[in-house]
Amino acid sequence: MSDSEKKADIVPVRLGRSSGFQFECHKGVSCFTKCCRGIDIILTPYDIIRLKDKLELSSEEFLAIYTEPQLYEKTDLPVVTLKLLDDEIRSCPFVRDEGCLVYDARPTTCRYYPLGVGNLSHGEEGGDDDKDFFFFVNEPHCKGFEEKKEWTVESWRKDQGVDIHDEINAGWADLIVRKRSFPPNVQWTPKAKEMFFMACYNIDAFKRFVFESPFLTKFDVDEAMIEKIKTDDLAMLEFGFLWLKDVFFLKEDENKTFKLKNQE
């Protein structure tokens, strides 16, 4: 059988939130932790906040030690991937034979497994089962599908806490979807990509940018919001998403969140 014939036999199954499946992962499953090796994981903005807080690191320290910057091919936007160990099986730096050292702060992709997400609009509140696109990550070694516990896609998302991750990351997903709709010849400057990277992934650097540059003298920001983002990383993250949307995706005549001072 040729490679093309083999590929023709693999029919992707599109799942919605109400789709059902059987799965369970625990230490008694023979393949336990094998899915944590030889992987490519894009970290979301909320993943980075959770992990750097878990490890008691600044965002700069976490990014330098545990991540690698990449360009997302479909958008030419910077994304962050988890840096794997330089061993024969490319292990996750946080996995041990007995399990994950950062399990309660594990990334969104890990929470979704054995599901994958086929679009970036799943963070919208309420959702639409006709528009949502999930699929199984079918790895030959995985024995979790032989377990008897039953789920729907939606109940799995809630059980794994990934619904909260999607809600917090929705602004970031919206930015990526907006950029993906641009014509291929519309490219951002390196400086624009740096700003996107900082606001989305390096929350400590973005906080310094807001409070230690002329930012607040240029934009009219509510005093209550200023006080909130000083200490709340999630508020600062949402603040950054809104600012990026204003600066890079909205036209001058559109209703922007950030108004220039002394300007109607």
Side-chain angles (χ1 to χ4, degrees):
M1 182 182 292
S2 68
D3 288 343
S4 61
E5 288 173 326
K6 290 179 182 178
K7 290 179 181 178
D9 289 339
I10 302 174
V11 180
V13 177
R14 179 170 179 155
L15 308 173
R17 295 195 184 201
S18 60
S19 299
F21 64 99
Q22 292 184 182
F23 181 83
E24 192 172 11
C25 182
H26 53 82
K27 290 183 179 180
V29 179
S30 61
C31 60
F32 187 63
T33 75
K34 285 187 178 180
C35 59
C36 306
R37 297 171 169 88
I39 50 176
D40 293 304
I41 294 180
I42 293 178
L43 297 177
T44 69
Y46 186 44
D47 291 340
I48 293 171
I49 288 176
R50 291 291 304 274
L51 286 166
K52 65 105 173 171
D53 287 349
K54 173 74 174 180
L55 298 169
E56 299 182 346
L57 299 171
S58 68
S59 55
E60 287 102 330
E61 290 169 331
F62 176 79
L63 290 166
I65 298 169
Y66 291 109
T67 75
E68 295 179 318
Q70 309 281 347
L71 283 178
Y72 187 42
E73 183 180 355
K74 294 181 179 180
T75 64
D76 197 41
L77 286 178
V79 294
V80 171
T81 58
L82 183 66
K83 185 187 296 183
L84 302 178
L85 297 181
D86 189 19
D87 56 13
E88 292 183 359
I89 52 179
R90 298 176 64 238
S91 301
C92 169
F94 306 121
V95 71
R96 301 293 183 270
D97 288 341
E98 62 273 16
C100 177
L101 297 177
V102 294
Y103 186 78
D104 59 337
R106 65 197 184 281
T108 304
T109 296
C110 303
R111 291 171 184 270
Y112 259 112
Y113 190 88
L115 300 176
V117 181
N119 62 23
L120 282 170
S121 63
H122 54 279
E124 295 175 2
E125 185 177 352
D128 185 331
D129 207 54
D130 292 331
K131 295 179 181 179
D132 288 334
F133 181 11
F134 305 92
F135 57 90
F136 290 128
V137 179
N138 290 311
E139 296 184 296
H141 63 72
C142 183
K143 304 300 181 183
F145 288 109
E146 298 176 6
E147 300 292 298
K148 302 301 182 184
K149 187 143 188 179
E150 296 185 350
W151 307 91
T152 63
V153 169
E154 186 65 3
S155 67
W156 177 257
R157 291 177 70 247
K158 290 180 179 179
D159 182 79
Q160 298 296 303
V162 77
D163 55 338
I164 297 172
H165 279 241
D166 285 348
E167 181 180 348
I168 293 171
N169 287 315
W172 170 73
D174 177 66
L175 295 172
I176 292 176
V177 170
R178 286 173 181 270
K179 180 62 171 64
R180 193 164 57 191
S181 69
F182 283 17
N185 62 328
V186 178
Q187 299 292 319
W188 279 8
T189 65
K191 182 65 175 178
K193 292 176 185 178
E194 287 177 16
M195 298 305 295
F196 181 90
F197 183 93
M198 178 177 62
C200 289
Y201 310 120
N202 195 342
I203 199 74
D204 294 325
F206 183 57
K207 188 176 295 184
R208 289 196 299 271
F209 170 72
V210 170
F211 289 104
E212 298 177 17
S213 79
F215 186 98
L216 293 176
T217 64
K218 181 178 180 181
F219 293 103
D220 189 9
V221 182
D222 181 80
E223 286 295 329
M225 176 58 70
I226 292 174
E227 290 303 312
K228 188 173 184 180
I229 63 178
K230 282 181 180 178
T231 57
D232 187 333
D233 279 353
L234 295 187
M236 176 59 82
L237 191 63
E238 183 179 6
F239 183 90
F241 295 157
L242 291 172
W243 180 72
L244 290 171
K245 182 179 177 181
D246 270 15
V247 171
F248 295 115
F249 296 102
L250 295 185
K251 298 176 182 177
E252 289 301 321
D253 59 347
E254 291 186 273
N255 186 27
K256 296 190 175 187
T257 301
F258 293 87
K259 310 292 186 183
L260 292 174
K261 286 191 173 181
N262 302 318
Q263 179 174 309
E264 294 297 328

